[in-house]
Amino acid sequence: MIVEQSKIFVKTRLEGEGSGHDWWHTLRVYNNALALALKENLHQELDMIIVELGALFHDIADHKFGYDDKDRITIISNFLSPLGLDSKKIDHVIYIANNISFKKGKNTIALKSIEAKIVQDADRLDALGAIGIARAFTYGGHKGRSIYNPTTKDDTLSHFHEKLLLLKDTLNTISGREIAEQRHHYIEEFLKQFHQEWNII
Ligand code: ADP
Ligand code: NI
């Protein structure tokens, strides 16, 4: 019930978002997180509602949408409290939303819960592979960046080197790492082809 209501809330807030962080991104992260959790659950006890809500709320009131940490705490707890979720669990959901971000590789603090690690992996997987490539250019376009500009670093191709190619080594779970390897390889192939095409002209 809480999860279903949360889905409606998050969908309403993120539907139509134009920078690659729309509801479909959150739904993919949610589904990936559930799939990873199923595999991890064989080894340890997980609080599944935390995985589900952590995934659903991970991009709610994010800094990139102009919110600060305080706004996020208020928005998430004002929604979840009246639904009867206990305050420890609400704090855990907020902890996930606040801490899973990549932040140009500066975010190297180890996450304190397996639920957070799973949601982080699910979010990172959505920045890799074909979908990751699509999202990078969507975000770049949203920010007015060139696809590629060999004379500056303010282009989307630079983002592949600054972030996307580093991601596969930051995954927390074994099953996440396996999927990341394949998606990483796909990005490498894309970059090879891109530079080949660029240099022919
Ligand atoms: P995180 O929360 O892990 O830091 P972000 O929310 O900043 O991640 O970004 C997630 C998505 O946005 C990814 O698909 C990523 O490729 C894309 N993105 C973020 N920054 C850039 C950028 N400078 N250029 C292109 N894409 C970007
Ligand atoms: Ni995300």
Side-chain angles (χ1 to χ4, degrees):
M1 194 61 185
I2 292 179
V3 170
E4 286 316 306
Q5 282 180 270
S6 298
K7 278 186 185 171
I8 295 166
F9 176 77
V10 173
K11 186 175 181 206
T12 307
R13 288 188 71 102
L14 294 179
E15 210 157 38
E17 198 282 329
S19 76
H21 298 87
D22 63 0
W23 161 245
W24 294 108
H25 161 64
T26 287
L27 190 59
R28 289 191 300 272
V29 172
Y30 174 82
N31 287 329
N32 279 339
L34 284 186
L36 293 176
L38 219 62
K39 295 181 183 168
E40 291 300 309
N41 222 1
L42 300 173
H43 310 291
Q44 46 201 310
E45 271 311 303
L46 291 175
D47 190 347
M48 284 306 291
I49 196 161
I50 298 298
V51 173
E52 292 189 74
L53 295 178
L56 287 175
F57 285 93
H58 87 275
D59 266 338
I60 286 294
D62 199 272
H63 288 212
K64 59 189 162 280
F65 305 132
Y67 296 99
D68 62 22
D69 284 356
K70 253 191 172 167
D71 301 327
R72 172 173 254 164
I73 294 169
T74 311
I75 292 170
I76 297 179
S77 53
N78 279 357
F79 179 76
L80 289 175
S81 260
L83 297 183
L85 192 69
D86 80 64
S87 64
K88 259 199 176 153
K89 292 194 189 214
I90 295 175
D91 288 348
H92 199 162
V93 173
I94 292 168
Y95 170 80
I96 291 175
N98 279 345
N99 289 286
I100 65 163
S101 181
F102 184 76
K103 297 205 178 94
K104 298 202 164 112
K106 287 180 199 134
N107 188 7
T108 50
I109 309 151
L111 291 170
K112 68 174 187 185
S113 74
I114 178 70
E115 291 84 357
K117 289 178 182 175
I118 284 172
V119 177
Q120 184 178 64
D121 279 9
D123 193 29
R124 290 185 174 175
L125 286 177
D126 211 53
L128 290 172
I131 288 176
I133 294 170
R135 292 183 68 226
F137 290 108
T138 300
Y139 190 90
H142 181 77
K143 292 273 177 192
R145 295 191 180 123
S146 325
I147 293 171
Y148 179 44
N149 182 346
T151 62
T152 72
K153 289 195 92 192
D154 195 24
D155 60 350
T156 298
L157 263 236
S158 298
H159 179 70
F160 282 75
H161 297 281
E162 285 163 8
K163 174 173 170 181
L164 302 185
L165 290 173
L166 310 180
L167 283 179
K168 81 166 168 50
D169 294 324
T170 69
L171 278 265
N172 306 294
T173 63
I174 293 166
S175 33
R177 260 171 201 256
E178 278 170 16
I179 303 168
E181 287 287 343
Q182 191 273 331
R183 295 188 185 190
H184 178 91
H185 180 71
Y186 188 89
I187 289 187
E188 283 183 332
E189 292 302 309
F190 166 79
L191 289 173
K192 265 189 226 157
Q193 169 95 13
F194 187 99
H195 288 294
Q196 245 172 32
E197 292 177 15
W198 189 276
N199 288 321
I200 284 169
I201 303 159

